[in-house]
Amino acid sequence: AQSVTQPDIHITVSEGASLELRCNYSYGATPYLFWYVQSPGQGLQLLLKYFSGDTLVQGIKGFEAEFKRSQSSFNLRKPSVHWSDAAEYFCAVASGGSYIPTFGRGTSLIVHP
Amino acid sequence: DGGITQSPKYLFRKEGQNVTLSCEQNLNHDAMYWYRQDPGQGLRLIYYSQIVNDFQKGDIAEGYSVSREKKESFPLTVTSAQKNPTAFYLCASTMGQGSYNEQFFGPGTRLTVL
């Protein structure tokens, strides 16, 4: 069965600093990987997704993620964080056998001015 | 603009009452989903539907029921059998059934049991 681990419950960064949110997945074949963002009291919005090809994926709002098969990871990065990036971030994985994604528990990003 | 609407935004329920959460989409998507979100637990799948008049249980279906009479609508009923219904409920849809399809989410309904 597919599973996702987001090891960090909370991450605090200063505005302008770089950001990396970790995501590890468990699935035998090449997974379909997603990062979503959720502002307080809102639904989720897709930031980026990876299916195949180039392992570095660009998304919206200046985010990128890198798929590393050897580490079973799909970490989300941003070179310079803005105060508006404060939100909950979810990593999700889907497999060829189950098109319904499994979501991680989320990482809450706090941005200090 | 296409999207998913959920209503109401806030809902209060007394013990023993059934309540129905609305989810409507105008994206012409085939599949629709209901998730429950609790702090620190991510999203847990309640029910999903791939096609009109058909739906399947997710991981935590007990105490919930759904219907899919129209492609654009997928209401969720929280019954009195659900022992701890206070949570944030999210409805989502996808164009098809492939694993590569991103999910589009509604703004959510926050249900509180009084």
Side-chain angles (χ1 to χ4, degrees):
Chain A
Q2 61 199 31
S3 67
V4 179
T5 301
Q6 292 182 248
D8 303 306
I9 298 174
H10 302 284
I11 290 280
T12 301
V13 299
S14 298
E15 191 169 16
S18 63
L19 171 70
E20 182 169 32
L21 302 182
R22 296 184 291 166
C23 173
N24 294 98
Y25 66 90
S26 174
Y27 179 64
T30 300
Y32 299 86
L33 295 158
F34 307 82
W35 273 102
Y36 289 86
V37 62
Q38 182 183 34
S39 297
Q42 299 296 318
L44 278 67
Q45 179 186 20
L46 181 73
L47 285 174
L48 46 78
K49 57 188 177 185
Y50 171 79
F51 302 143
S52 63
D54 192 347
T55 56
L56 186 62
V57 181
Q58 302 297 321
I60 63 171
K61 304 185 181 186
F63 285 92
E64 67 178 26
E66 186 171 12
F67 171 61
K68 293 186 178 180
R69 183 188 300 277
S70 62
Q71 298 177 19
S72 297
S73 69
F74 188 56
N75 294 348
L76 183 71
R77 301 194 295 245
K78 187 169 185 178
S80 179
V81 171
H82 188 263
W83 63 266
S84 60
D85 293 323
E88 190 91 14
Y89 291 81
F90 292 92
C91 182
V93 62
S95 65
S98 171
Y99 66 92
I100 300 173
T102 298
F103 287 84
R105 293 193 171 195
T107 297
S108 178
L109 175 64
I110 300 166
V111 181
H112 281 172
Chain B
D1 286 340
I4 299 179
T5 57
Q6 292 186 241
S7 62
K9 188 171 179 62
Y10 298 97
L11 186 57
F12 298 91
R13 191 193 93 169
K14 293 182 179 180
E15 295 278 355
Q17 277 185 336
N18 292 354
V19 291
T20 297
L21 284 60
S22 170
C23 177
E24 303 278 333
Q25 55 99 358
N26 60 4
L27 300 167
N28 198 32
H29 283 177
D30 295 314
M32 298 185 74
Y33 313 78
W34 273 106
Y35 292 94
R36 171 178 171 144
Q37 185 177 21
D38 297 280
Q41 295 200 40
L43 277 66
R44 292 184 290 170
L45 183 65
I46 304 172
Y47 268 98
Y48 64 101
S49 169
Q50 303 171 35
I51 195 170
V52 174
N53 292 323
D54 186 48
F55 47 83
Q56 286 76 40
K57 293 181 179 180
D59 301 320
I60 56 165
E62 184 175 353
Y64 300 96
S65 65
V66 294
S67 63
R68 187 86 187 275
E69 298 177 359
K70 299 185 294 183
K71 185 176 183 178
E72 59 269 25
S73 179
F74 191 41
L76 173 74
T77 296
V78 184
T79 74
S80 56
Q82 171 51 237
K83 298 307 179 187
N84 184 25
T86 294
F88 191 55
Y89 291 87
L90 287 162
C91 180
S93 69
T94 56
M95 183 179 299
Q97 300 175 23
S99 299
Y100 48 81
N101 285 313
E102 69 174 276
Q103 293 194 317
F104 291 78
F105 286 84
T109 292
R110 185 166 298 280
L111 173 63
T112 303
V113 174
L114 302 174

